[in-house]
Amino acid sequence: MIKAAVCIAALLACVAQVHAGARPLAAICTQSGGRTASGEAFSPGKLTAAHRTFPFGTMVRVTNLRNGRTVVVRINDRGPFNKGRVIDLSPAAARELHFSGLTPVSLDVVAAQR
């Protein structure tokens, strides 16, 4: 009985570490046409992104933590609205990072909008 309790406690500790070490995710914006929250037309061919709080116009370096590739995008929309995701990238930005679906990323502000 004590041995089982120790095993369960060890398993729960491992699961907690995995969730605590969870990395922020980027997704691809699948919008087709329309306007972004900044008012400009959505363009899948531009290096743009949506972020919840960064001011519109902020330039952000996004690094794909799976392959080390980076791209600098301009924030022009709001989102993502899914828990665990920190940024939605245009299809052009996702191509530069060589991913489809979701990927773990790091974000670095290169130039803040004034």
Side-chain angles (χ1 to χ4, degrees):
M1 183 82 154
I2 292 174
K3 189 175 185 181
V6 170
C7 288
I8 291 172
L11 178 62
L12 289 174
C14 289
V15 170
Q17 285 178 347
V18 167
H19 288 296
R23 296 183 276 184
L25 297 174
I28 302 170
C29 181
T30 57
Q31 177 178 341
S32 66
R35 300 253 171 226
T36 64
S38 67
E40 67 184 78
F42 175 74
S43 177
K46 291 185 178 178
L47 298 177
T48 58
H51 191 273
R52 288 183 201 92
T53 59
F54 289 153
F56 295 137
T58 301
M59 303 299 287
V60 179
R61 180 180 301 106
V62 182
T63 303
N64 181 337
L65 297 177
R66 287 193 177 134
N67 61 23
R69 295 184 67 86
T70 65
V71 66
V72 175
V73 296
R74 182 176 49 84
I75 302 300
N76 73 337
D77 204 359
R78 289 291 168 237
F81 301 108
N82 297 45
K83 191 174 184 177
R85 296 183 193 176
V86 295
I87 197 164
D88 279 344
L89 300 168
S90 66
R95 277 192 301 279
E96 291 288 321
L97 293 176
H98 288 199
F99 85 94
S100 61
L102 300 173
T103 194
V105 294
S106 67
L107 306 179
D108 297 298
V109 173
V110 216
Q113 179 62 30
R114 293 177 194 206

